[in-house]
Amino acid sequence: MDPREQIVGVARSLFGRSLTHGSTGNISLRVPEGALITPTGASLGTIAPEDISLVSFQGAHLDGPRPSKEAFLHAAFLRERPSAQAVVHTHSTHAAAVSCLDDLDHGDVLPPLTAYYAMRVGRLPLLPYHAPGDQALEPVVAAAARRHSAVLLSNHGPVVAGATLASAADALEELEETAKLFLLLRGMPVRLLSGEQRARLASPHQQFTIKKGEQEA
């Protein structure tokens, strides 16, 4: 599929499932010339392939409409994570709500509640607040991206990178659903995954044996 069509498909899916709203959120995809990215001030529910911008891996505008003012966040992730092909940033409700809480572990915001969160997101750092579009955030994001595939921006929302656009969107949604669980369970006794369970799930060599009669989720 054409990369611009891929972006439009994911953008409309995220918007249609209320993972973005209004003109919030942006999506990027690595291409040989740089990174394709959604434009500034546009709804992810209505963008078309011709609306997609092209930026360099330093965030400079190369072609197309004016890119998202947060293009530098995407460029930083794609520079620092050569295996990442795509980045998704939203202001999804529950993750944004968690980003506003005052009593968080800034090195690991969400606890390991589920196996799929541990596999798809892992550890999620909370980065200090910067106004949207403030390029002073770029070196902070770049440093975090060297060690993490996802970050949560304080009083803002998540940024997630993936090996494909589909996997980045899946991880973003897993993060949002885990944020929802976290808020639902606050104040209740919770059984978390152990450190050993979490480490095994994070291992790229981990294999799971499915017994006869069982199906993989």
Side-chain angles (χ1 to χ4, degrees):
M1 182 185 293
D2 178 84
R4 287 175 169 80
E5 294 281 1
Q6 289 184 53
I7 291 174
V8 168
V10 169
R12 292 184 180 177
S13 175
L14 293 175
F15 187 87
R17 290 177 295 125
S18 299
L19 289 164
T20 67
H21 58 276
S23 59
T24 64
N26 29 77
I27 298 170
S28 65
L29 181 62
R30 187 190 298 271
V31 291
E33 304 83 6
L36 296 173
I37 188 166
T38 49
T40 189
S43 167
L44 294 189
T46 59
I47 61 167
E50 59 269 23
D51 298 326
I52 305 300
S53 306
L54 178 69
V55 299
S56 73
F57 293 121
Q58 285 68 46
H61 184 196
L62 299 177
D63 192 26
R66 190 156 62 96
S68 166
K69 63 178 172 289
E70 294 171 323
F72 67 91
L73 297 179
H74 296 253
F77 257 101
L78 293 172
R79 276 199 320 272
E80 300 299 333
R81 300 186 73 83
S83 63
Q85 297 300 306
V87 178
V88 179
H89 166 51
T90 69
H91 303 172
S92 48
T93 302
H94 297 90
V98 169
S99 81
C100 298
L101 295 175
D102 195 34
D103 58 344
L104 300 171
D105 177 354
H106 288 201
D108 194 11
V109 179
L110 292 174
L113 292 168
T114 69
Y116 282 99
Y117 176 77
M119 287 189 288
R120 290 177 176 160
V121 179
R123 296 182 182 275
L124 180 70
L126 180 70
L127 303 191
Y129 173 77
H130 289 72
D134 182 355
Q135 296 201 8
L137 181 57
E138 182 173 8
V140 181
V141 168
R146 293 174 200 136
R147 294 169 290 132
H148 304 280
S149 62
V151 300
L152 186 61
L153 308 179
S154 289
N155 301 84
H156 192 158
V159 184
V160 181
T164 65
L165 184 50
S167 66
D170 283 348
L172 183 285
E173 189 165 6
E174 194 69 46
L175 192 161
E176 170 66 8
E177 289 301 310
T178 304
K180 184 189 298 185
L181 289 174
F182 176 71
L183 294 170
L184 286 170
L185 293 168
R186 275 174 71 82
M188 301 174 67
V190 175
R191 183 180 62 257
L192 302 176
L193 298 182
S194 70
E196 180 183 354
Q197 290 168 330
R198 195 176 188 183
R200 290 184 67 225
L201 290 165
S203 171
H205 306 295
Q206 177 64 45
Q207 295 183 352
F208 299 93
T209 301
I210 301 174
K211 296 179 182 178
K212 186 177 181 180
E214 293 181 342
Q215 293 184 348
E216 187 175 5

